[in-house]
Structure formats: C-alpha cells, structure tokens
Amino acid sequence: AQSVSQHNHHVILSEAASLELGCNYSYGGTVNLFWYVQYPGQHLQLLLKYFSGDPLVKGIKGFEAEFIKSKFSFNLRKPSVQWSDTAEYFCAVIPYGNNRLAFGKGNQVVVIP
Amino acid sequence: EAGVAQSPRYKIIEKRQSVAFWCNPISGHATLYWYQQILGQGPKLLIQFQNNGVVDDSQLPKDRFSAERLKGVDSTLKIQPAKLEDSAVYLCASSYRDVNTEAFFGQGTRLTVV
C-alpha cells in the first residue's frame, strides 16, 4: 500500500545537538510534501512545504528539509535544537491529482535542556 | 485570525453509545477535513468537504460514522454506535481552497470509549 514512513519514533537529544528526521514515501509521480509540528498541548501547524523548485526548503524556527526525488525522501533538519523544539513532527504527502493529505506516524522529539 | 474551533475537547462514552463532534472552520475556508488520530499513529483522513459537498469519504466507516457540513460552514461528525477502537483524537482542519493550500488544524476532540 502507498504510505509515508517515518522511522525512530522517539528521539531524545540535548540542546544544541543537530536533528534529522527521515521521511520516505512510496507514491510514484509528482507529490507535494509537508512537515507539520505539534507542540505539547497545541494544535498541528505547518512547519514547511515543498511543491516545486529548489529542493532545499527553509521553514520556520530554523528548520529546513531536503527533497531527494530519487530516494523518495523529504528529510527534516535543524542544526542546533532548543528545548522549545520538543514536539511531535509529522511528515505528510499529497500525491498529485489525489488531493488527500497522507501523514506518517510521527516522530516524538524531546530536547533535554 | 481566529483558528479552527472544535468542541468538545474531551468526551468519554460507553461502547454502543452515540457521540457528535462539532467544528467551525476559519472564515472563508472552502475545504474542511475530519481526521482520526489513534495514539501512536499519524492523522488519517475520514472525510473531506469542498464547500458543502463531499470530495472524499473513502476512509469513513459509513456503517457507524456520518458527517455533514451545512451551508458550507460548520460541520458535525457523528459516531453511532461507538466501538472501543474508535477511541482517538478527532481533528478538524480547514484550508482556503484545497489541501495543497495550508491546512489549519483545530485542537481536536479526544474521545475515549469504555
């Protein structure tokens, strides 16, 4: 079945460490890609998105993601995390012409001060 | 800008009872979504409305779930009768045009079926 895969569901790291969260999808053809974040007690909100153009996308709060078409991947990165980055991060994909936003299972990230 | 409003925030019911959730999207947003998020999983689309018409309800368990969006604004999602496996957070989201424009999510309703 077509899907969105996120590995390492729980990630614990110290402040100032670098963060990389993997996202792979199994849809062929053109896709639109998203990362959503859910901070504790808050609603899901958009972190960044990729539709076309430069495959390196910059989002809010110092996050960036790189689309690698050949690897069907859209990994999220942040060079130096802060305690306030503690949250759950979801990768989401829209296959072109489908209009259904499909989410991965999420990564629970805990940043220790 | 006001966000997506959902109520109630929490609901506990016994199995076989019925329950309804309400969603008020952001003003002017044509598209409204209901998602089910089971603990440890990502949100799963249940139904998508464009104005007051259904665009996608292929993953809605129609034998027990129903949803409507009257006048293309507010929406209600109903479960009747509820099963234990329906315990989840039910998220409502809206977007200006379609899902390729940013989807804004509400806080969700946490349903526990006992």
Side-chain angles (χ1 to χ4, degrees), chain A residues 30-48:
Chain A
T30 303
V31 292
N32 292 337
L33 298 154
F34 306 78
W35 276 96
Y36 278 83
V37 61
Q38 187 168 23
Y39 298 103
Q42 296 187 28
H43 56 273
L44 272 167
Q45 55 189 288
L46 184 67
L47 198 55
L48 49 76

Side-chain angles (χ1 to χ4, degrees), chain B residues 59-74:
Chain B
Q59 300 189 104
L60 186 73
K62 298 180 186 65
D63 58 334
R64 298 183 300 105
F65 286 65
S66 65
E68 60 181 5
R69 189 181 184 195
L70 298 175
K71 301 180 181 178
V73 182
D74 292 7

Side-chain angles (χ1 to χ4, degrees), chain B residues 33-98:
Chain B
Y33 319 81
W34 282 103
Y35 284 85
Q36 179 193 57
Q37 186 176 11
I38 293 173
L39 187 64
Q41 299 183 20
K44 182 185 85 171
L45 180 69
L46 292 176
I47 189 166
Q48 178 178 335
F49 293 94
Q50 185 82 17
N51 297 308
N52 60 351
V54 175
V55 173
D56 184 349
D57 64 356
S58 57
Q59 300 189 104
L60 186 73
K62 298 180 186 65
D63 58 334
R64 298 183 300 105
F65 286 65
S66 65
E68 60 181 5
R69 189 181 184 195
L70 298 175
K71 301 180 181 178
V73 182
D74 292 7
S75 177
T76 56
L77 176 70
K78 296 179 181 178
I79 308 175
Q80 182 179 11
K83 293 184 176 181
L84 295 176
E85 58 261 36
D86 298 331
S87 294
V89 176
Y90 291 85
L91 298 167
C92 180
S94 69
S95 61
Y96 176 68
R97 189 182 70 240
D98 58 32

Side-chain angles (χ1 to χ4, degrees), chain A:
Chain A
Q2 295 176 327
S3 67
V4 181
S5 299
Q6 293 180 245
H7 306 290
N8 301 321
H9 184 65
H10 292 95
V11 177
I12 301 173
L13 58 167
S14 300
E15 276 192 318
S18 64
L19 172 69
E20 179 159 1
L21 301 177
C23 174
N24 291 90
Y25 60 92
S26 62
Y27 303 94
T30 303
V31 292
N32 292 337
L33 298 154
F34 306 78
W35 276 96
Y36 278 83
V37 61
Q38 187 168 23
Y39 298 103
Q42 296 187 28
H43 56 273
L44 272 167
Q45 55 189 288
L46 184 67
L47 198 55
L48 49 76
K49 63 185 178 184
Y50 172 79
F51 286 2
S52 63
D54 188 344
L56 186 61
V57 180
K58 295 194 184 298
I60 60 172
K61 304 186 180 185
F63 284 91
E64 64 179 29
E66 184 176 13
F67 171 52
I68 303 179
K69 187 174 182 179
S70 61
K71 295 185 177 180
F72 297 89
S73 70
F74 189 54
N75 293 351
L76 181 71
R77 297 191 292 254
K78 185 169 183 178
S80 177
V81 294
Q82 300 173 317
W83 174 79
S84 58
D85 293 322
T86 293
E88 190 154 19
Y89 294 83
F90 292 93
C91 180
V93 176
I94 302 173
Y96 182 76
N98 180 298
N99 273 340
R100 181 187 300 168
L101 188 62
F103 284 86
K105 289 188 175 183
N107 295 104
Q108 183 67 55
V109 174
V110 175
V111 180
I112 300 170

